[in-house]
Amino acid sequence: MSHEAIAVIMFSAMMLLLMTGQRVFAAIGAVAAAGAVFLYGTGGVDIPFSAAMKLMKWYPLLTLPMFIFMGYVLSESRIADDLYRMFHVWMGPVPGGLAIGTIGLMVLISAMNGLSVAGMAIGATIALPELLRRGYDKLMVTGVIQAGSSLGILVPPSVVLVLYAMIARQPVGQLWLAGVLPGLMMAALFIIYIGIRCRLQPHLGPVLPAEERDVPLAEKLRLLRAGILPLAIFGAMMVPFINGWTSLVESSAIGAMTAFLAAVLKGRMTREVFETSVRNTLGVTCMFMWIILAALGFGAVFDGLGAVKAIENLFVGQWGLDPWTILILMQLSFLLMGTFLDDTAMLVIVAPLYVPLVHQLGFDLIWYGVLYTITTQIAYMTPPFGYNLFLMRAMAPPEISLGDIYRSIFPFVGVMVMALALVMIFPEIALWLPEYVYNK
Amino acid sequence: QSTIRWRMQTYAGPALAEHVIKPHIEMFNKIAGDRMQIELFFADQLVPTGELFRAMQRGTIDAVQSDDDSMASPTEVTVFGGYFPFALRYSLDVPVLFNQYGLKEIWEEEYAKVGVKHISAGSWDPCHFATKEPINSLADLQGKRIFTFPTAGRFLSRFGVVPVTLPWEDVEVALQTGELDGIAWSGITEDYTVGWADVTNYFLTNNISGAWIGHFFANMERWNELPDDLKTLFQVCADASHYYRQWWYWGGEAALRVNGDKLKLTTIPAEEWAQVEAEAKKFWDEIAAESEVKARVVAKIREYNEVMEKAGPPYRYS
Amino acid sequence: MPRIIVAYVRAVESLNYRIGRATMYLIFVMIAVLMWSSISKVAFLPAHWTLETAQFLMVAYYILGGPYSIQMGTNVRMDLIYGGWSARRKAMVDAFMVFFLLFYLAVLLYGAIGSTAYSLGYWGTEPFAFFRDLAMAFLSGGPEAAGEVIGRLERSSTAWRPYMWPIKVVMVIGIFLMLLQATAEFFKDLARMRGLEIGRGARAEVIRAPGKDPAKDSDRSTA
Ligand code: NA
Ligand code: NA
């Protein structure tokens, strides 16, 4: 069988299994196992398990349960409530101010956790009902929360960038720093969009009524203290890490510990919060790890059967495309695959195919990591299918229909595509900070 | 007749493999043509390096390029694989020990016992420290987390080094994240080639071994199935790759010390470094006491070094 | 459903539930190990066992916790078509498709058993025979005879050099439990096809109207 045929068969078999709603790891693992047993030849049967040994040595993945735990502690203990009040009071008097404040809230939450789910959960439980109650347009609100939560994996810490770092063999520290400015830029673009839109159409984001705006200055200043907590958690984690005092995984444990202590000290670590955080951390970590395990097996079989070479050959050899066309095609293919592949699976299966090629084409892999992250976030927000959309649907109140959710994200996706284009045209947006910090 | 297809995995990552193996596998494929093709995979690509030996034994991988230590070979000779301290001074020591002092027979025997064909051994680069902080005395080694080979690590821990083992490909990342303070893994050529020179600042000119021993292995059944001429072709290409490394490293080590601008050189004074060398002799005795095979290898290494010392310059200057 | 199957499903699920509940607290052990690692690094000589210990803990965490995570339903499904189906249809498709999962887990288990045999010094191609001999030797001659069967123990090739067999045994057990959970899922799906809900948490043989299954009708459906 030709390498191309194997690539096509393995990919379509996997898609088929995914389409029937099977657990993602089972679908990927089954195709990997079948390829290993029936196509690989002698000794192939050992490959799915040897992926487990490989996974064991991927020590940066120890950050995964740490960040997941952190995210749950933050969202379950509602220590973000104060943060929301801070933005609420300070931003309330501006048209669309609460939406802008929600983006600010998302930036701070992003700095405290490595996934986008926590941001989504906090946004949907705290910000969403408040904003709807104040007469904000529901499309504006759901769009803001989805867009804002995508900052979670761009602003450090970021689990997606850790995984990307493992695959592309790039330093996590640099990748994380590379995500900072694009993340802040994207947040700024969101804010500009909301600001302009709400000035033109004030009914989308009405200013707070006068009686609510009238908060004494002392109270306003007191509320600013809420911002100390995220900065403290971010600092406890990032300062020792960037300075090389502690390693990546150690820093993530410090982060988890700090978040846990913060919840305890604020009296929010109830038995129920504890139970939910600990249990869900196990559940979500298992989900990720089993997908990565299956995907690593899939990747090794795919590679061993020569399918990786086939794809490279197609892009560079047969089609003879120029580097930028290939890069843009890759980004488009991510958008397409984002409709049926889970983001972790996409990263572990597809990134190993693309990363060597991107490198060969002469692009910077740190920069590409940022492009990759923004692109997958877009993929998860674009209809008809996307994990963020489903998550929003699960968390939103019943008056928000799936149609509303679909329509709400378009302007924000537009903003994200613009951010993507800016980072592509001006790589310095991503690369300036890591170069500044690491080139002493 | 259909083409014989082998999968081969090296312990080296893509950047290093570009020099240490890829040209010669391409050479093999070009000559063998439709009769046989070897597909080369890099470090951890199909199986993790720690599982390489078992994968080869089981036939998941047909052939391997590695030292004994990195691929976790379960043989008695593993301990001599990656930088057995102070056993070798120059890279030519390796082929001489294997071909004139009988190490080749011992290796072949030990690997045959576990179903693996030992094809040939060749030398690689010396083992130097590259670190973030300068090392000017033995005291500077205290508490340094160093990526190194397991055996070298066991030895260096006597001087306060904390040996760390990671997948080879993660080392650069670990140096930047603070997981590691430095490496004692290679010579300066490799530091520059694989990018470690970009993430470390200092290079210690004293080495704990003048050459590393790398091997080509194959699954015994796969090897036996090959027609004789292809076996010979494989051996010739392996030898060509040994030869390439011989001059590539020898020239590279000298040129980069002098012309390289990424690493500052430091040296521990010879009198102080002599302590390390003396400790190594004790370490040899301890290893020799572990088994009969190890004792035989240590005896040959000792015999060889005595000859070299008596021969004087250019074999030994001290 | 036959009583024996209902009992089997309940037994498997309770076992996995208990193991999963115990495993979930390993997160604190991991945090403790990594905190010790940071502290020892700053305060005195860095400990060289911490990273590998944390790795082993992580493996135990996700492998032993796997079956419980299936019970919790945290595994993502792509529900673009699936989400629109009735509970009965989902159960039918799942009951068939679970064989793909079983196949994957069987291959994983086979690899794990072979790798564990290797870690106990067996280099042949029949790991099952090796374990049979090991068990026989142990039963007839006690630990000493079993020691005779065991060969060169595999150690991790790090300076700490821990033995590899304990973690591999944990993996074998975890993958086996996962396999049991998958068979339980199969029987649960068979029951659902008849409108029944069995297993842990379900009152035995409670009859539910089809399509009213809260566990399966995830609100993430796209329909
Ligand atoms: Na983040
Ligand atoms: Na999409």
Side-chain angles (χ1 to χ4, degrees):
Chain A
M1 211 183 309
S2 75
H3 296 162
E4 286 81 3
I6 286 170
V8 169
I9 287 172
M10 284 183 74
F11 246 95
S12 35
M14 182 175 69
M15 269 166 65
L16 203 70
L17 286 176
L18 287 169
M19 290 292 181
T20 63
Q22 294 317 293
R23 293 171 187 88
V24 172
F25 85 89
I28 299 170
V31 177
V37 173
F38 302 116
L39 297 176
Y40 186 92
T42 319
V45 67
D46 288 340
I47 292 182
F49 181 75
S50 91
M53 301 310 289
K54 191 188 266 186
L55 188 50
M56 186 162 86
K57 295 283 173 189
W58 275 22
Y59 70 94
L61 282 188
L62 278 164
T63 56
L64 198 73
M66 300 301 149
F67 289 141
I68 293 171
F69 183 65
M70 244 173 115
Y72 274 111
V73 167
L74 292 172
S75 58
E76 293 298 319
S77 69
R78 305 189 63 116
I79 50 180
D81 286 20
D82 299 348
L83 267 181
Y84 178 73
R85 287 225 350 111
M86 173 181 96
F87 281 112
H88 187 117
V89 168
W90 279 89
M91 299 301 296
V94 184
L98 295 186
I100 292 172
T102 304
I103 295 288
L105 174 72
M106 292 300 189
V107 171
L108 288 186
I109 290 168
S110 300
M112 292 186 287
N113 87 92
L115 296 164
S116 56
V117 185
M120 183 84 88
I122 293 171
T125 50
I126 304 175
L128 190 99
E130 286 284 319
L131 267 68
L132 289 179
R133 206 155 56 80
R134 319 263 158 191
Y136 269 63
D137 178 66
K138 61 183 176 180
L139 292 191
M140 175 61 88
V141 175
T142 48
V144 162
I145 289 169
Q146 291 184 78
S149 69
S150 71
L151 297 171
I153 60 168
L154 205 50
V155 174
S158 159
V159 166
V160 170
L161 284 173
V162 169
L163 254 180
Y164 175 85
M166 295 301 306
I167 290 162
R169 307 290 184 175
Q170 296 297 309
V172 180
Q174 297 221 2
L175 278 163
W176 279 6
L177 289 176
V180 173
L181 290 181
L184 294 180
M185 178 186 79
M186 212 154 84
L189 290 174
F190 288 148
I191 288 173
I192 292 171
Y193 163 75
I194 298 167
I196 293 176
R197 190 86 200 272
C198 290
R199 202 156 287 271
L200 297 177
Q201 296 166 285
H203 64 279
L204 294 179
V207 291
L208 280 187
E211 64 274 17
E212 276 200 63
R213 281 200 318 242
D214 197 21
V215 179
L217 186 65
E219 169 72 5
K220 278 181 136 180
L221 289 176
R222 199 188 59 79
L223 277 170
L224 276 182
R225 290 199 319 219
I228 296 173
L229 179 74
L231 290 180
I233 293 179
F234 184 74
M237 197 164 40
M238 295 302 283
V239 170
F241 171 61
I242 296 293
N243 283 304
W245 301 331
T246 57
S247 68
L248 171 71
V249 292
E250 290 161 349
S251 309
S252 71
I254 294 175
M257 183 86 166
T258 318
F260 183 74
L261 287 181
V264 170
L265 291 179
K266 295 202 109 195
R268 300 277 177 78
M269 190 40 76
T270 61
R271 182 178 281 270
E272 201 190 329
V273 169
F274 180 80
E275 157 71 20
T276 318
S277 311
V278 175
R279 190 187 56 219
N280 288 344
T281 302
L282 178 80
V284 175
T285 306
C286 284
M287 175 198 88
F288 274 113
M289 291 303 281
W290 280 87
I291 290 177
I292 299 171
L293 172 65
L296 277 179
F298 183 96
V301 174
F302 204 65
D303 205 352
L305 290 172
V308 173
K309 292 226 160 66
I311 290 183
E312 212 178 287
N313 193 16
L314 195 67
F315 273 123
V316 186
Q318 284 169 312
W319 293 348
L321 302 171
D322 73 278
W324 278 95
T325 314
I326 295 177
L327 195 80
I328 289 168
L329 273 181
M330 282 178 182
Q331 302 313 93
L332 287 176
S333 75
F334 276 131
L335 291 185
L336 197 73
M337 279 184 282
T339 63
F340 64 87
L341 260 183
D342 157 79
D343 56 351
T344 321
M346 187 153 93
L347 186 55
V348 181
I349 290 176
V350 184
L353 306 182
Y354 285 0
V355 163
L357 194 52
V358 170
H359 182 66
Q360 209 178 304
L361 295 173
F363 293 111
D364 184 289
L365 287 180
I366 302 276
W367 168 75
Y368 186 71
V370 174
L371 288 192
Y372 169 84
T373 308
I374 300 177
T375 311
T376 48
Q377 280 309 309
I378 296 175
Y380 296 119
M381 286 174 56
T382 43
F385 319 112
Y387 278 80
N388 277 11
L389 296 169
F390 299 149
L391 219 55
M392 191 67 210
R393 162 88 195 257
M395 292 175 180
E399 71 256 35
I400 295 178
S401 72
L402 193 63
D404 291 337
I405 294 175
Y406 282 179
R407 263 173 290 141
S408 71
I409 60 97
F410 275 107
F412 292 95
V413 166
V415 171
M416 289 171 82
V417 171
M418 199 164 106
L420 184 68
L422 282 173
V423 177
M424 280 173 111
I425 299 167
F426 306 105
E428 300 80 21
I429 299 173
L431 298 178
W432 177 79
L433 189 63
E435 270 163 22
Y436 177 77
V437 171
Y438 282 105
N439 289 352
K440 297 145 276 192
Chain B
Q1 200 185 342
S2 67
T3 310
I4 302 168
R5 291 192 183 278
W6 271 18
R7 296 184 183 96
M8 177 170 196
Q9 187 170 311
T10 169
Y11 97 107
L16 183 60
E18 204 60 52
H19 289 281
V20 298
I21 182 159
K22 209 170 157 219
H24 304 92
I25 294 303
E26 280 167 2
M27 180 192 287
F28 180 95
N29 288 339
K30 202 170 179 181
I31 300 172
D34 286 342
R35 295 185 61 210
M36 180 165 173
Q37 289 291 303
I38 298 174
E39 192 167 355
L40 180 65
F41 296 92
F42 307 126
D44 295 306
Q45 208 175 337
L46 291 186
V47 297
T49 301
E51 301 280 306
L52 255 186
F53 176 83
R54 182 162 185 273
M56 173 167 54
Q57 202 187 33
R58 298 271 290 159
T60 313
I61 306 279
D62 303 297
V64 162
Q65 178 195 40
S66 176
D67 65 298
D68 317 86
D69 219 359
S70 304
M71 70 170 185
S73 134
T75 57
E76 286 292 312
V77 293
T78 300
V79 73
F80 304 103
Y83 298 130
F84 190 59
F86 295 96
L88 308 163
R89 176 86 49 115
Y90 305 114
S91 50
L92 269 176
D93 294 352
V94 174
V96 174
L97 269 164
F98 271 78
N99 298 317
Q100 291 184 350
Y101 283 72
L103 292 196
K104 177 149 183 60
E105 287 70 32
I106 298 178
W107 255 253
E108 277 182 353
E109 231 170 80
E110 290 303 307
Y111 277 96
K113 282 184 199 163
V114 291
V116 164
K117 169 70 186 171
H118 177 262
I119 299 169
S120 77
S123 78
W124 295 42
D125 50 342
C127 183
H128 290 266
F129 283 88
T131 47
K132 293 206 252 190
E133 301 296 323
I135 297 174
N136 290 304
S137 69
L138 288 181
D140 291 337
L141 291 175
Q142 281 290 333
K144 290 261 185 309
R145 279 155 302 156
I146 301 289
F147 171 67
T148 186
F149 290 86
T151 305
R154 255 167 91 186
F155 174 66
L156 288 171
S157 61
R158 298 171 183 214
F159 300 94
V161 167
V162 181
V164 180
T165 313
L166 297 172
W168 186 90
E169 283 282 20
D170 297 334
V171 169
E172 187 176 346
V173 178
L175 280 164
Q176 278 182 312
T177 59
E179 202 78 60
L180 290 173
D181 297 316
I183 47 180
W185 184 269
S186 65
I188 197 166
T189 320
E190 211 164 294
D191 292 337
Y192 273 81
T193 309
V194 305
W196 292 336
D198 299 324
V199 289
T200 52
N201 305 315
Y202 296 93
F203 179 84
L204 182 68
T205 57
N206 314 71
N207 70 47
I208 63 158
S209 172
W212 182 80
I213 311 174
H215 309 267
F216 287 95
F217 301 99
N219 174 288
M220 189 62 93
E221 270 178 54
R222 290 293 93 70
W223 177 260
N224 289 338
E225 284 162 14
L226 285 191
D228 279 344
D229 61 333
L230 287 178
K231 283 181 188 164
T232 307
L233 177 60
F234 193 97
Q235 264 157 341
V236 167
C237 292
D239 284 343
S241 112
H242 292 322
Y243 180 62
Y244 179 101
R245 282 191 302 277
Q246 194 97 38
W247 58 257
W248 187 64
Y249 280 119
W250 183 257
E253 292 300 303
L256 284 168
R257 280 189 190 203
V258 177
N259 305 321
D261 57 358
K262 293 179 180 174
L263 296 172
K264 282 199 196 76
L265 306 186
T266 65
T267 304
I268 296 180
E271 318 79 70
E272 200 180 352
W273 193 246
Q275 289 175 41
V276 184
E277 201 159 348
E279 188 64 35
K281 298 284 156 59
K282 281 190 229 159
F283 187 70
W284 291 8
D285 291 334
E286 288 166 31
I287 296 294
E290 285 177 6
S291 80
E292 184 263 329
V293 174
K294 288 176 186 167
R296 267 165 66 203
V297 177
V298 170
K300 290 188 189 290
I301 290 173
R302 189 164 277 143
E303 182 196 342
Y304 174 72
N305 276 288
E306 278 162 15
V307 170
M308 289 291 124
E309 274 155 31
K310 284 183 191 149
Y315 299 99
R316 292 288 188 270
Y317 290 90
S318 60
Chain C
M1 294 299 284
R3 292 188 94 82
I4 175 104
I5 288 182
V6 176
Y8 169 80
V9 171
R10 287 184 68 100
V12 166
E13 295 217 309
S14 321
L15 176 69
N16 280 334
Y17 175 78
R18 291 204 186 99
I19 291 176
R21 293 291 300 179
T23 302
M24 73 183 193
Y25 295 106
L26 284 183
I27 180 85
F28 294 106
V29 186
M30 282 190 268
I31 293 179
V33 167
L34 292 174
M35 288 302 289
W36 175 251
S37 180
S38 333
I39 295 166
S40 70
K41 194 180 281 183
V42 177
F44 32 95
L45 271 190
H48 65 292
W49 53 270
T50 47
L51 188 62
E52 231 174 348
T53 304
Q55 286 172 347
F56 291 153
L57 285 167
M58 177 72 174
V59 170
Y61 185 72
Y62 86 88
I63 298 260
L64 291 176
Y68 182 42
S69 82
I70 290 202
Q71 287 181 17
M72 288 192 275
T74 45
N75 298 85
V76 192
R77 293 164 182 267
M78 166 53 224
D79 50 8
L80 125 83
I81 301 170
Y82 186 84
W85 293 342
S86 70
R88 193 180 289 264
R89 169 171 254 178
K90 282 180 184 166
M92 258 169 68
V93 174
D94 284 350
F96 173 70
M97 299 303 267
V98 80
F99 285 93
F100 286 96
L101 173 59
L102 285 168
F103 173 65
Y104 172 52
L105 292 172
V107 172
L108 265 186
L109 184 63
Y110 179 80
I113 289 172
S115 183
T116 308
Y118 179 84
S119 73
L120 294 171
Y122 174 76
W123 299 332
T125 50
E126 282 164 30
F128 293 98
F130 166 76
F131 282 112
R132 193 193 57 221
D133 293 348
L134 186 63
M136 297 291 270
F138 183 77
L139 291 176
S140 59
E144 217 161 272
E148 291 287 304
V149 179
I150 290 173
R152 181 196 169 99
L153 294 177
E154 183 191 9
R155 281 163 174 259
S156 166
S157 63
T158 58
W160 184 39
R161 304 207 309 145
Y163 288 112
M164 291 305 285
W165 66 265
I167 191 63
K168 289 187 177 177
V169 168
V170 168
M171 291 164 98
V172 168
I173 294 171
I175 296 168
F176 181 69
L177 290 173
M178 197 75 166
L179 203 64
L180 291 184
Q181 183 65 38
T183 59
E185 294 295 317
F186 171 68
F187 289 125
K188 280 158 74 181
D189 285 326
L190 285 189
R192 280 190 192 112
M193 283 161 63
R194 304 174 187 187
L196 305 172
E197 194 61 30
I198 60 172
R200 209 194 70 84
R203 272 165 293 147
E205 307 262 353
V206 177
I207 296 172
R208 286 179 198 274
K212 287 276 161 73
D213 178 358
K216 281 265 160 170
D217 276 353
S218 99
D219 42 9
R220 293 197 2 225
S221 67
T222 52

